[in-house]
């Protein structure tokens, strides 16, 4: 266990080193995809954001624009245009084929790209989270800090017949997860969802949800889920773990204990530290309903 703790402590330093090398040496194929633009986003997604930022927006009104699944608070919605998805996957393939150092998304996915190392956090993922996803998650997940998701971990995973085929049951180190299917052509490989991590039943009930190109699924990070094997082709997915320090500072979602923190660069795991004598003078407006 101690060896694993030390390994994980080194991950952030190794990631910083890889990011510096990539920034200096990597030749981008589609430089335009690194900065988020409205033209990358599906018109229906922009319409959803406009509704959610309107003065009279409410949950039941939002549900007219998106597709809910069962009672598990899982929702499908359009996110990107097909043209952007194609260019983005081509950029990811170009990076994969390069001689750049590569960090992998997590211990379960062996193929994929950490987007902060590619330099996409500040110019793409952060504005996507703050400008476009916040208004939606504030209505869907107020109890999980949906209005104050103040950090993230974003990565792309790849499934193909000669590499990773599927993904075993797990839950995410996140309050809310966005999972977008970027393509390419593939068959099978549905996602499946079971119980919430904190209230498993003796015989969990699973539902399957099909991936649709350029569309995303929003779900609670603690929802147990996995991916069934693909039968042909290959699939690229953008996954954004969104985190609320207001929630996780009270209780770590992975161990269900009050977090004991160590200093880290970047977002770390989404925790923040407040000095004991740092008394706020105003009420925190990011309320948890």
């Amino acid at each position: 266990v101690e060896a694993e703790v030390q390994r994980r402590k080194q991950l952030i330093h190794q990631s910083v080193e890889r990011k510096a090398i990539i920034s200096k040496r990597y030749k981008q194929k589609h430089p335009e995809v690194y900065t988020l633009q409205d033209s990358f986003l599906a018109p229906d997604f922009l319409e959803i954001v406009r509704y959610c930022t309107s003065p009279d927006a409410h949950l039941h009104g939002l549900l007219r624009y998106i597709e809910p699944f069962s009672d598990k608070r899982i929702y499908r919605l359009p996110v990107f245009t097909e043209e952007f998805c194609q260019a983005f996957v081509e950029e990811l393939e170009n990076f994969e084929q390069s001689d750049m150092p590569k960090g992998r998304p997590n211990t379960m996915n062996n193929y994929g790209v950490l987007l902060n190392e590619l330099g996409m956090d500040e110019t793409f993922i952060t504005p996507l989270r703050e400008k476009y996803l916040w208004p939606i998650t504030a209505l869907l997940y107020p109890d999980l800090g949906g209005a104050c998701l103040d950090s993230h971990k974003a990565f792309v995973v790849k499934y193909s017949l000669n590499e990773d085929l599927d993904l075993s049951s797990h839950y995410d180190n996140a309050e809310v997860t966005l999972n977008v299917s970027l393509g390419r052509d593939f068959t099978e490989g549905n996602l499946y969802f079971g119980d919430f991590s904190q209230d498993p039943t003796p015989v969990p009930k699973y539902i399957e949800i099909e991936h649709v190109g350029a569309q995303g699924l929003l779900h609670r990070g603690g929802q147990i889920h996995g991916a069934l094997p693909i039968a042909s082709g290959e699939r690229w997915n953008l996954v954004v773990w969104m985190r609320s320090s207001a929630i996780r500072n009270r209780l770590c979602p992975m161990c269900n204990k009050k977090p004991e923190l160590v200093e880290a660069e970047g977002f770390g795991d989404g925790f923040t530290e407040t000095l004991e004598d740092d008394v706020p003078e105003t009420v925190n407006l990011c309320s948890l309903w």
Side-chain angles (χ1 to χ4, degrees):
V1 172
E2 182 60 31
E4 176 64 13
V5 170
Q6 294 304 317
R7 184 190 73 83
R8 294 190 178 211
K9 285 183 177 180
Q10 293 302 313
L11 289 179
I12 184 64
H13 303 297
Q14 296 166 359
S15 181
V16 170
E17 292 174 0
R18 287 192 297 266
K19 183 177 179 180
I21 294 172
I22 293 167
S23 175
K24 184 177 181 179
R25 294 175 44 204
Y26 174 58
K27 183 174 178 57
Q28 300 169 354
K29 181 173 184 176
H30 293 296
E32 69 277 6
V33 304
Y34 285 76
T35 301
L36 183 63
Q37 302 175 39
D38 275 5
S39 61
F40 298 167
L41 302 170
D44 287 346
F45 178 75
L46 294 173
E47 180 63 26
I48 292 170
V49 176
R50 280 192 290 269
Y51 172 78
C52 291
T53 54
S54 65
D56 300 323
H58 53 83
L59 175 60
H60 294 296
L62 171 57
L63 294 180
R64 296 197 299 263
Y65 292 87
I66 63 179
E67 182 180 2
F69 291 92
S70 75
D71 59 350
K72 298 181 184 295
R73 301 174 70 188
I74 305 165
Y75 307 94
R76 177 188 283 145
L77 69 167
V79 180
F80 298 119
T81 65
E82 292 184 2
E83 293 77 12
F84 167 75
C85 289
Q86 179 177 344
F88 189 26
V89 170
E90 288 177 359
E91 180 63 37
L92 295 167
E93 290 178 325
N94 186 66
F95 177 73
E96 281 288 272
Q97 294 163 8
S98 73
D99 61 354
M100 293 296 101
K102 301 172 181 70
R104 295 312 182 186
N106 49 62
T107 56
M108 299 180 72
N109 292 106
N110 299 304
Y111 301 91
V113 179
L114 289 164
L115 295 185
N116 69 307
E117 294 185 7
L118 208 53
M120 297 188 72
D121 255 4
E122 295 82 1
T123 57
F124 193 103
I125 301 297
T126 293
L128 177 67
R129 170 173 53 83
E130 293 182 347
K131 183 178 178 180
Y132 300 96
L133 294 173
W134 262 1
I136 300 172
T137 56
L139 293 177
L140 293 177
Y141 305 105
D143 53 322
L144 297 174
C148 48
L149 297 168
D150 50 2
S151 68
H152 62 260
K153 178 179 179 178
F155 51 93
V156 173
V157 293
K158 178 188 177 185
Y159 300 90
S160 72
L161 295 182
N162 298 319
E163 299 174 339
D164 288 340
L165 285 175
D166 54 13
L167 187 61
S168 301
S169 296
H170 66 285
Y171 58 91
D172 300 337
N173 185 358
E175 275 62 71
V176 179
T177 295
L178 173 67
N179 185 329
V180 184
S181 177
L182 301 172
R184 298 180 177 265
D185 292 334
F186 61 90
T187 57
E188 302 297 336
N190 289 349
L191 290 181
Y192 61 89
F193 292 87
D195 296 318
F196 195 71
S197 62
Q198 296 176 0
D199 50 20
T201 59
V203 183
K205 296 180 179 179
Y206 288 90
I207 63 169
E208 281 189 36
I209 301 177
E210 181 183 4
H211 266 305
V212 178
Q215 297 197 18
L217 293 171
L218 278 169
H219 63 84
R220 296 174 293 175
Q223 196 81 47
I224 295 174
H225 61 285
L228 296 171
I230 64 170
S232 65
E234 64 180 39
R235 185 178 79 224
W236 294 78
N237 284 70
L238 167 65
V239 179
V240 185
W241 289 353
M242 293 179 282
R243 296 155 168 171
S244 170
S245 59
I247 294 288
R248 59 184 43 224
N249 283 351
R250 303 176 191 172
L251 198 69
C252 172
M254 305 306 286
C255 67
N256 290 318
K257 298 178 181 178
K258 185 172 178 59
E260 298 180 13
L261 305 179
V262 296
E263 189 172 352
E265 299 184 50
F267 288 134
D269 269 2
F271 301 97
T272 58
E273 188 172 34
T274 303
L275 299 177
E276 293 183 2
D277 58 354
D278 184 11
V279 180
E281 299 179 357
T282 58
V283 175
N284 182 359
L285 297 181
C286 182
S287 62
L288 307 177
W289 304 340

